[in-house]
Amino acid sequence: MDEANTPVQNTVKNYSTASLVLGIVSILTAIFWFVGALLGVLAIIFGSLSLKSAGRKKAITGIVLGSIGVVLSFLLILVLFMAIPALQKSSRDTARNNDMALLASRVTEYQTSNSGSLPAGTSLSATGLVQINNISTEGTATTTNAIYIAGKDCSGTVSERAFSLYIQLEKSPTPVCVGS
């Protein structure tokens, strides 16, 4: 009778070993969330099938490690879904800051070429800018509309050679000013 049960016992014991191995690998591959989650679930299934066998400790360890692998995989997904939008906002704000620096450079170049006089607001163009679509001389700065004020710097000091450019960043509650 022992001979008839030996193949079944070996199969169940192999399930506990498979559960342990899959649990370990699920933690190591959690960074590849789909693979880590799948291997973790398999570790839990194989561990559950072999709980009543001689390899009970391996099965329990496999279930615990598989569960950790599944949780790590889903935590990674959660972190990615939270981090990606913040990174995208930062990237767009960086592009806006670069656009503002380019606009300020254009105004300064104009001043250099025209004896210190400032360009008219209508002569500034959004051509070649990444995030700024429009430049106006009045209104409210938005994430796509820059405001150009000739004759006044960012601190409010009035001067015929001073200028200020305002843009709204996504991560800032108030518009950002670049100018002379």
Side-chain angles (χ1 to χ4, degrees), residues 40-132:
V41 168
L42 289 173
I44 293 167
I45 291 170
F46 287 145
S48 298
L49 292 174
S50 63
L51 273 176
K52 295 181 181 175
S53 71
R56 180 175 169 78
K57 289 182 181 179
K58 285 183 186 177
I60 292 172
T61 306
I63 292 171
V64 169
L65 293 176
S67 299
I68 292 171
V70 170
V71 169
L72 284 176
S73 296
F74 286 112
L75 283 176
L76 179 68
I77 293 169
L78 181 66
V79 167
L80 286 176
F81 279 118
M82 290 172 51
I84 287 174
L87 290 172
Q88 289 172 334
K89 281 183 183 180
S90 291
S91 176
R92 289 188 299 267
D93 280 349
T94 299
R96 284 183 190 95
N97 283 326
N98 291 339
D99 286 351
M100 292 295 281
L102 182 59
L103 280 174
S105 173
R106 288 178 184 173
V107 172
T108 304
E109 287 174 19
Y110 183 91
Q111 282 183 303
T112 303
S113 300
N114 294 287
S115 303
S117 64
L118 291 167
T122 56
S123 66
L124 288 178
S125 168
T127 304
L129 302 178
V130 178
Q131 288 290 323
I132 298 174

